[in-house]
Amino acid sequence: MTNQTKLTIGVFDSGFGGLTVLRALLPLIPASHYIYLGDTARLPYGSKSRETIARYAVESAKFLHAQGADLLVIACNTATALALPDLQQALPIPVIGVIQPGAEAALAASSPSSRTLVLATAATVQSHAYAEALTALGLHATEKACPLLVPLVEEGWTNHPVTDEVLKIYLNEALAAAPNAETLLLGCTHYPLLEPAIRRTLANLNHPLTIIDSADATARATAKAVRRHFPNAAAAAQPTCTFYATDSVEKFQRLGSAFLGHPLGEVHLLDLGG
Ligand code: DGL
């Protein structure tokens, strides 16, 4: 990037859940070009080993860097939890994850020493990245793996009786393990798409909780990094976006447009190998 030119921000997720982070970034850092990559062909990351997640995430991140990204946002909790140090080591640009901003958002919404219930993929839960980040901030954490939620979101079933039933089972189990939880942290970038269904299910279980997601907090952390690393970036311009998916561009376009509230435009098909 040269002085006063538009900053290019790479945004990466295993699917289109990371659009929740892109949606928060657009109004906060409008004078940027965004390159979004959803590694849909290799999703879900959340049921894979640390080595595989790190390899996929580093390959995806290197692609975004090669496309001109000046800074990278890992809009995927699983990739952040399992591979943030690998990504920061592999790339010569600032790399921002979602876990620390998510934990800080939980802190801001919680009373001191209270318990946060974290819903996340199996890999994120096994890494205990959230428990560590929340404990370091003086909070207690109970983590619950919800492996069926990502496929339901990727199917577009965000408002569907099957999803409601699955949520009821997961939330009942989670609340039995953490009856005194005060906040519910959505530890997967796909889950904000289920927020109305989660809210509805909690109301039916007569157990309302404050729901937190890391998208806004991650966007704020990114804005701070932009000010620090790129003080001369252009301040006024409309955002522009380029989208890549590694599978089914039509589905990405359809579900992603509905979610962002405007057409995504062309989605490029990308082959990152197996
Ligand atoms: N978006 C990923 C996350 O935030 C989950 C999707 C997956 O399992 O690949 O954890």
Side-chain angles (χ1 to χ4, degrees):
M1 200 198 73
T2 55
N3 279 0
Q4 293 300 322
T5 58
K6 228 174 173 186
L7 189 73
T8 298
I9 299 180
V11 181
F12 159 66
D13 181 34
S14 53
F16 80 95
L19 291 175
T20 55
V21 178
L22 180 64
R23 186 173 62 173
L25 285 165
L26 291 173
L28 207 61
I29 317 172
S32 295
H33 178 58
Y34 290 90
I35 312 175
Y36 184 98
L37 167 57
D39 191 8
T40 42
R42 304 191 290 192
L43 174 139
Y45 282 20
S47 56
K48 298 196 167 68
S49 68
R50 198 206 80 79
E51 290 69 25
T52 301
I53 293 165
R55 179 164 63 83
Y56 288 176
V58 168
E59 282 171 7
S60 303
K62 283 188 170 168
F63 170 79
L64 288 169
H65 181 231
Q67 297 306 300
D70 300 301
L71 178 146
L72 196 63
V73 179
I74 308 302
C76 175
N77 288 262
T78 306
T80 303
L82 281 296
L84 188 60
D86 301 74
L87 288 158
Q88 286 171 331
Q89 208 180 5
L91 293 157
I93 54 174
V95 181
I96 292 153
V98 284
I99 302 252
Q100 189 60 30
E104 285 168 12
L107 180 68
S110 304
S111 26
S113 304
S114 62
R115 183 164 294 277
T116 299
L117 182 57
V118 182
L119 306 186
T121 65
T124 300
V125 166
Q126 276 156 24
S127 77
H128 297 303
Y130 266 113
E132 282 166 23
L134 290 164
T135 305
L137 296 173
L139 295 174
H140 297 283
T142 299
E143 298 162 296
K144 168 74 180 160
C146 304
L148 292 177
L149 297 185
V150 167
L152 289 167
V153 171
E154 291 282 327
E155 197 50 43
W157 285 19
T158 50
N159 189 9
H160 193 284
V162 169
T163 308
D164 283 7
E165 198 54 34
V166 170
L167 278 172
K168 192 167 117 191
I169 295 167
Y170 282 147
L171 287 169
N172 253 325
E173 288 173 2
L175 291 168
N180 60 346
E182 208 177 80
T183 48
L184 178 69
L185 177 50
L186 305 180
C188 172
T189 48
H190 284 64
Y191 298 175
L193 296 161
L194 295 171
E195 192 172 331
I198 291 172
R199 215 173 273 289
R200 194 164 57 233
T201 309
L202 287 171
N204 288 339
L205 295 173
N206 209 11
H207 206 127
L209 293 171
T210 303
I211 299 178
I212 296 149
D213 78 64
S214 53
D216 288 332
T218 302
R220 284 195 298 275
T222 306
K224 202 167 149 191
V226 166
R227 283 193 297 273
R228 182 151 62 94
H229 293 283
F230 306 100
N232 296 320
Q238 286 298 311
T240 46
C241 300
T242 305
F243 294 95
Y244 290 91
T246 54
D247 191 19
S248 58
V249 288
E250 181 280 325
K251 187 171 158 191
F252 193 94
Q253 213 161 28
R254 183 165 38 86
L255 296 178
S257 300
F259 173 64
L260 272 186
H262 57 81
L264 294 189
E266 191 181 356
V267 177
H268 304 275
L269 183 63
L270 175 69
D271 185 359
L272 285 174

